[in-house]
Amino acid sequence: MAGCNICLDKSCDGEQQLPEVERFVISADSWNRDRAIVPCKVRFAFNNVVGDSFEMCTVQCLRYNVSVLKRSSKTFLKGDWSLFVDHHDLKSGDNVLMSYKPHVGSFNCVPMAPDGDVRISALNEAEYNNQIFSGTSFTLRMSEITDDEMKRLLSIVKWSKRWTMTPLVHRLTTTDAERFALKLKKSLIDKLNLEPAVTIQFKVYGGEPCDGHDVRYKIMTDGRALCQWKEVVEDHGFAVGQLMVCAAVMYEDDPVVIVWKV
């Protein structure tokens, strides 16, 4: 089979006007360390759901910020693509299965050897942990994280990375837990395009079923969101000194703040 002379995919039948993208394979002939080419048959639908970058997540919760270069006849994936190739030690002949997750706007990716076996990360434990924390932000002037907290934090950040590359680690202050005024960083909420003042959904994970709370907020002059979250604090027993992880995401077109207690 000769394959497509544009995207180099042997199974490609040329560009199609598909209404949506669900899953596709970046074939062995369509990638190298520096870039990958989106198959022509899904390019139209792919280009409609991504901008100039998107997040790609592996089964080991490693996330990569992939840049997108859209040309008249080809769409290239670059940026962290090379990091993904290096981390998984991809070889000639390997394929990458891509599955779109519309509720969070990212792609799950599964690198596969020619025999169909899934390639897992080639990183050692320290490298893997560093990559998991990559992109995570920590509140300034926060007290030192204990060894026990760090173990729990690693597990939670791995889970939160299924949602976003940029979770926030924060230790609750008196203002947060006793005055019920939580200020979310501008960098955390930028993607949500929040209205100046309305409510936002908080969902708390911590062993019990996930609860939802409508929390009133207002955008401050410095871009942070001031959230009046008294009901969340009281219902879930948050206290001064509690370490937590926050992730702000769009879920089914609605802005949501997801919170994990560490």
Side-chain angles (χ1 to χ4, degrees):
M1 186 180 297
C4 178
N5 61 5
I6 296 176
C7 68
L8 309 178
D9 186 336
K10 289 185 171 62
S11 67
C12 184
D13 300 320
E15 189 158 334
Q16 303 172 28
Q17 304 288 306
L18 297 178
E20 59 185 25
V21 58
E22 295 180 353
R23 58 167 49 192
F24 62 92
V25 173
I26 297 176
S27 70
D29 299 303
S30 300
W31 68 269
N32 58 34
R33 183 187 178 278
D34 298 319
R35 58 94 182 115
I37 305 174
V38 175
C40 295
K41 59 188 177 183
V42 298
R43 193 174 83 96
F44 175 81
F46 178 87
N47 285 355
N48 282 340
V49 298
V50 302
D52 57 7
S53 67
F54 68 93
E55 293 175 0
M56 193 168 74
C57 183
T58 73
V59 293
Q60 293 177 284
C61 302
L62 294 172
R63 290 188 83 96
Y64 301 91
N65 187 24
V66 178
S67 59
V68 180
L69 190 60
K70 299 175 183 178
R71 294 292 187 242
S72 59
S73 61
K74 294 183 184 181
T75 297
F76 296 96
L77 308 184
K78 304 189 79 168
D80 281 356
W81 174 264
S82 58
L83 202 60
F84 165 73
V85 170
D86 288 346
H87 285 175
H88 294 81
D89 195 23
L90 296 194
K91 310 287 188 186
S92 175
D94 288 353
N95 301 307
V96 180
L97 174 63
M98 305 284 287
S99 301
Y100 184 53
K101 300 299 178 185
H103 60 287
V104 290
S106 65
F107 281 81
N108 284 352
C109 60
V110 182
M112 298 180 296
D115 61 4
D117 285 349
V118 175
R119 288 205 184 278
I120 61 172
S121 163
L123 301 176
N124 61 38
E125 183 177 4
E127 292 170 335
Y128 173 77
N129 290 347
N130 286 338
Q131 183 63 25
I132 286 293
F133 279 116
S134 174
T136 303
S137 60
F138 294 80
T139 302
L140 294 176
R141 297 182 293 279
M142 188 172 64
S143 60
E144 186 175 351
I145 298 173
T146 67
D147 290 343
D148 284 344
E149 286 177 330
M150 185 59 75
K151 291 176 183 177
R152 297 195 299 272
L153 183 60
L154 178 62
S155 176
I156 291 171
V157 169
K158 282 172 62 178
W159 177 253
S160 73
K161 289 266 184 153
R162 294 177 182 267
W163 298 85
T164 176
M165 283 190 71
T166 55
L168 168 69
V169 178
H170 176 65
R171 195 180 296 281
L172 295 179
T173 65
T174 300
T175 300
D176 301 325
E178 295 183 357
R179 298 175 187 166
F180 312 117
L182 176 68
K183 297 176 182 177
L184 297 179
K185 294 175 63 174
K186 183 178 184 296
S187 60
L188 185 74
I189 62 171
D190 262 351
K191 290 185 178 180
L192 302 184
N193 297 317
L194 297 178
E195 298 293 332
V198 68
T199 61
I200 188 171
Q201 181 85 180
F202 270 60
K203 291 184 178 292
V204 179
Y205 286 81
E208 315 87 24
C210 177
D211 294 320
H213 301 268
D214 288 321
V215 173
R216 294 197 64 81
Y217 73 86
K218 67 177 181 180
I219 303 297
M220 304 171 66
T221 55
D222 61 4
R224 291 183 295 173
L226 176 61
C227 302
Q228 303 296 330
W229 71 324
K230 180 178 180 180
E231 181 181 297
V232 180
V233 172
E234 293 179 340
D235 282 3
H236 297 278
F238 284 106
V240 175
Q242 172 78 54
L243 200 64
M244 72 175 192
V245 177
C246 292
V249 301
M250 293 298 297
Y251 187 82
E252 297 180 347
D253 297 326
D254 293 321
V256 177
V257 174
I258 303 172
V259 179
W260 293 264
K261 294 173 72 174
V262 179

